[in-house]
Amino acid sequence: MNIGKKITVLIIASCLWGSSAVAEVPFGDKDSVSYADDLWSFMIEHKLAGHNSIMTRPYTGAPPHGMILELIEKKATLMGVSGELVVKRNYGGDGLTIEDVINNPDKYLQAVTVMFQREKGYDSDNKNWFYAKYAPDGSLMKNPKGIPLAGRVAKGMPTGCIACHKAASGGDFIFNHDRYNKM
Ligand code: HEC
């Protein structure tokens, strides 16, 4: 191969690599962050998050989610897309009891982890779930590399929301539905 051809091949290869690298950002990008912000506003509006949100009876949880949890599931329509919205409130603190959480939820809330089933084609390999992990004030929490946890978190990686939720029985990525999937 002469040098000119080699350079052409290199340029094409680097363009291809560059474009696929951009297309493969599965989470934490600008669009995912802005989608997560809209989702948070929707949750505030419908009292699913924020001060004075609807309370359910908290229950004892396990890692990686909180010691004490609350779960709300409902159909939601966000920017014209209707899907299942699953909101999990994660509470923690030394010696925390269910009564402590009932009496003062704001004090012990550590994170709000959310899944929203988006339009077909959003993530066909993984049932089109959008994931987000918020701090109690609605800001997005970040992974150790500083990437905001919003979007297809962490698609293609061995750990993270998708890798773990894939294990839910019935292939729907929702552990809370496992009871429907047992024979
Ligand atoms: C190591 C495994 C694991 C990881 C990582 C994980 N989860 Fe979960 N998640 C679970 C398990 C197990 C449950 C069900 C038990 C419970 O409620 O804690 C659950 C429950 C949930 C639920 C309630 C719906 C359901 O499946 O029952 C939501 C929403 C949720 N997780 C969101 C997230 C988000 C968002 C992330 C990433 C930021 C995440 N999870 C990361 C294991 C995981």
Side-chain angles (χ1 to χ4, degrees):
M1 206 189 276
N2 68 33
I3 197 88
K5 263 191 187 161
K6 259 188 198 160
I7 289 172
T8 315
V9 167
L10 269 176
I11 290 173
I12 293 173
S14 66
C15 287
L16 286 174
W17 186 82
S19 59
S20 73
V22 169
E24 272 168 19
V25 172
F27 68 102
D29 55 303
K30 246 172 110 185
D31 287 350
S32 302
V33 168
S34 116
Y35 199 93
D37 288 345
D38 290 339
L39 187 55
W40 183 261
S41 303
F42 177 94
M43 292 192 295
I44 293 285
E45 203 182 309
H46 291 84
K47 296 198 174 297
L48 298 170
H51 189 60
N52 286 334
S53 53
I54 298 162
M55 271 302 274
T56 62
R57 171 118 190 132
Y59 59 94
T60 308
H65 295 293
M67 281 168 66
I68 297 193
L69 302 170
E70 255 192 289
L71 181 65
I72 301 182
E73 263 197 80
K74 71 186 247 98
K75 285 258 180 272
T77 302
L78 189 70
M79 291 177 284
V81 176
S82 295
E84 198 66 23
L85 174 63
V86 194
V87 180
K88 177 175 284 294
R89 301 194 192 118
N90 306 257
Y91 299 94
D94 269 351
L96 190 65
T97 65
I98 286 175
E99 278 61 38
D100 294 334
V101 172
I102 291 173
N103 292 331
N104 201 344
D106 291 351
K107 182 170 173 193
Y108 301 106
L109 184 65
Q110 293 190 327
V112 183
T113 37
V114 176
M115 293 169 67
F116 177 58
Q117 198 163 31
R118 287 186 54 167
E119 68 280 4
K120 280 204 174 83
Y122 172 65
D123 187 7
S124 325
D125 309 339
N126 299 300
K127 294 272 158 71
N128 303 310
W129 288 103
F130 176 90
Y131 297 79
K133 182 170 186 176
Y134 304 92
D137 67 357
S139 60
L140 283 167
M141 295 179 85
K142 293 177 176 167
N143 73 4
K145 287 187 179 155
I147 302 172
L149 294 167
R152 306 165 193 88
V153 189
K155 187 169 175 155
M157 296 174 196
T159 56
C161 317
I162 293 180
C164 200
H165 275 257
K166 228 182 186 131
S169 68
D172 63 355
F173 291 74
I174 299 289
F175 290 99
N176 191 45
H177 294 171
D178 287 3
R179 63 182 182 279
Y180 307 137
N181 302 319
K182 287 200 180 94
M183 294 305 276

